[in-house]
Amino acid sequence: MSLEAGFPGERVRILPPAVARDAATAPVTRDLLVTDCGWYPRANNHGRSRRWGTDAIVVIVCLAGRGWYADTYGRRTITAGQALVIPSSLAHRYGAARRDPWTIAWMHASGPHVRAFEAALPDRGGRGLVVDLHDPLKVQALMRSLMETLEVDDRLPTLMRASGAAWDVLSQLAADVAEGPPRRQQPVIDVLSHLRLNFDQPVAVAELASMAGFSRSHFSALFREATGQSVGAYVRRLRMARACELLVTTGLPVGVIGRSVGYDDPLYFSRQFRLVHGRSPTNFREQKGTTVAAGMAED
């Protein structure tokens, strides 16, 4: 037996058809509209079978326990710390495990922003996707915020707030997919945290590789897979971000700023800055200063 609803502690919100139609043409919500959402604790015997799929994307975040999902590509297990993304119009089935049934937060959403999200998924949204969450507690908090928002009422301002909450969820899922499985990326993520705290210090790839527990070549490959760039390029971007901030917000000399971000040679600092921003630090500061002055004059 498979139940669709009726779980102790269940929370659910479904927009009336007329409200959904109006919101689908209104600013903000026409781009991303949450039509249904719910929170099912320990959903024993929960299940759904949709031969023709739905006209919205379905996102299910597993908070505890286990469940399963099946489509034409096969059957997969869903466990705590994972999210299930089911593209629109895809035939599918899913349900709670008989032993240790899942606790889930879920939503249905539609609109151009959702279609863009689906298009960015592996296989361009052609199958259901199981996402390993890098920060399950953060996603859980976002889903809770969405649920609490829609529990207020179904006025347009509330639906706008719900759209923002839903986009936060989709953005988090897209980022987790782009970064890859967290176990594989965790050593690199630890190194990234180290670099963000010590970007002004000399960088030795061999030392970073040792910190991550890999050979230099293996670490370099993993780092490029995770960031899309080399260690040197990543550190340069960190340094130039801080340099930009100091150029815009302080009157410190360019040479002093260069030294504060790890470059003792002012000329070398200027060359590195130009590689990232296409202009010298002095020209960058002059342009930003002129822009601010012009903006103040208009006021």
Side-chain angles (χ1 to χ4, degrees):
M1 180 177 67
S2 182
L3 301 178
E4 295 185 352
F7 315 107
E10 163 192 323
R11 299 160 68 183
V12 62
R13 283 294 182 272
I14 300 174
L15 294 186
V19 173
R21 284 195 299 270
D22 290 344
T25 62
V28 180
T29 53
R30 67 187 172 205
D31 293 321
L32 196 166
L33 176 64
V34 179
T35 57
D36 310 63
C37 75
W39 193 285
Y40 291 171
R42 195 166 177 78
N44 191 34
N45 290 322
H46 170 238
R48 284 281 194 176
S49 179
R50 299 185 177 102
R51 184 177 180 183
W52 307 110
T54 69
D55 58 0
I57 194 173
V58 179
V59 174
I60 299 174
V61 178
C62 185
L63 309 175
R66 296 183 299 112
W68 58 271
Y69 168 78
D71 58 22
T72 56
Y73 294 93
R75 180 178 171 124
R76 280 157 284 178
T77 299
I78 316 297
T79 61
Q82 293 182 318
L84 173 62
V85 179
I86 309 173
S88 56
S89 304
L90 178 67
H92 62 268
R93 294 180 294 119
Y94 59 75
R98 291 186 178 181
R99 295 181 180 180
D100 193 21
W102 61 13
T103 293
I104 57 172
W106 57 270
M107 71 173 179
H108 294 196
S110 59
H113 287 174
V114 172
R115 291 193 293 273
F117 169 80
E118 287 183 333
L121 297 177
D123 298 319
R124 300 191 63 80
R127 65 177 71 184
L129 179 67
V130 179
V131 181
D132 293 316
L133 301 176
H134 289 243
D135 192 345
L137 291 179
K138 181 174 183 179
V139 176
Q140 177 177 335
L142 292 173
M143 292 297 290
R144 185 184 297 276
S145 175
L146 171 63
M147 186 77 241
E148 292 172 348
T149 297
L150 283 176
E151 284 177 333
V152 173
D153 55 38
D154 59 13
R155 295 178 306 121
L156 183 59
T158 299
L159 300 184
M160 288 178 172
R161 295 185 182 98
S163 294
W167 184 244
D168 282 344
V169 173
L170 295 182
S171 297
Q172 190 71 28
L173 296 181
D176 287 349
V177 171
E179 283 194 329
R183 289 196 186 99
R184 178 176 173 82
Q185 298 298 334
Q186 190 58 53
V188 176
I189 291 171
D190 292 340
V191 169
L192 294 179
S193 298
H194 170 79
L195 290 175
R196 285 193 291 270
L197 292 173
N198 301 278
F199 64 85
D200 58 334
Q201 301 300 311
V203 177
V205 176
E207 292 180 7
L208 297 177
S210 178
M211 180 188 304
F214 297 114
S215 68
R216 176 170 178 157
S217 59
H218 189 190
F219 169 76
S220 295
L222 286 177
F223 191 94
R224 187 174 289 277
E225 177 184 329
T227 66
Q229 55 196 308
S230 67
V231 173
Y234 183 81
V235 171
R236 182 168 58 236
R237 297 290 286 271
L238 291 177
R239 290 177 171 180
M240 295 314 152
R242 175 57 175 163
C244 284
E245 181 180 22
L246 293 174
L247 287 167
V248 171
T249 62
T250 76
L252 291 172
V254 170
V256 173
I257 291 175
R259 286 192 295 274
S260 74
V261 298
Y263 298 104
D264 291 333
D265 183 345
L267 293 178
Y268 184 67
F269 167 59
S270 293
R271 287 198 295 270
Q272 295 298 301
F273 191 93
R274 190 183 293 273
L275 281 176
V276 175
H277 290 283
R279 67 198 65 186
S280 71
T282 300
N283 288 340
F284 178 87
R285 170 178 271 171
E286 290 173 349
Q287 184 202 39
K288 295 301 178 182
T290 300
T291 301
V292 172
M296 291 176 65
E298 290 173 1
D299 290 340

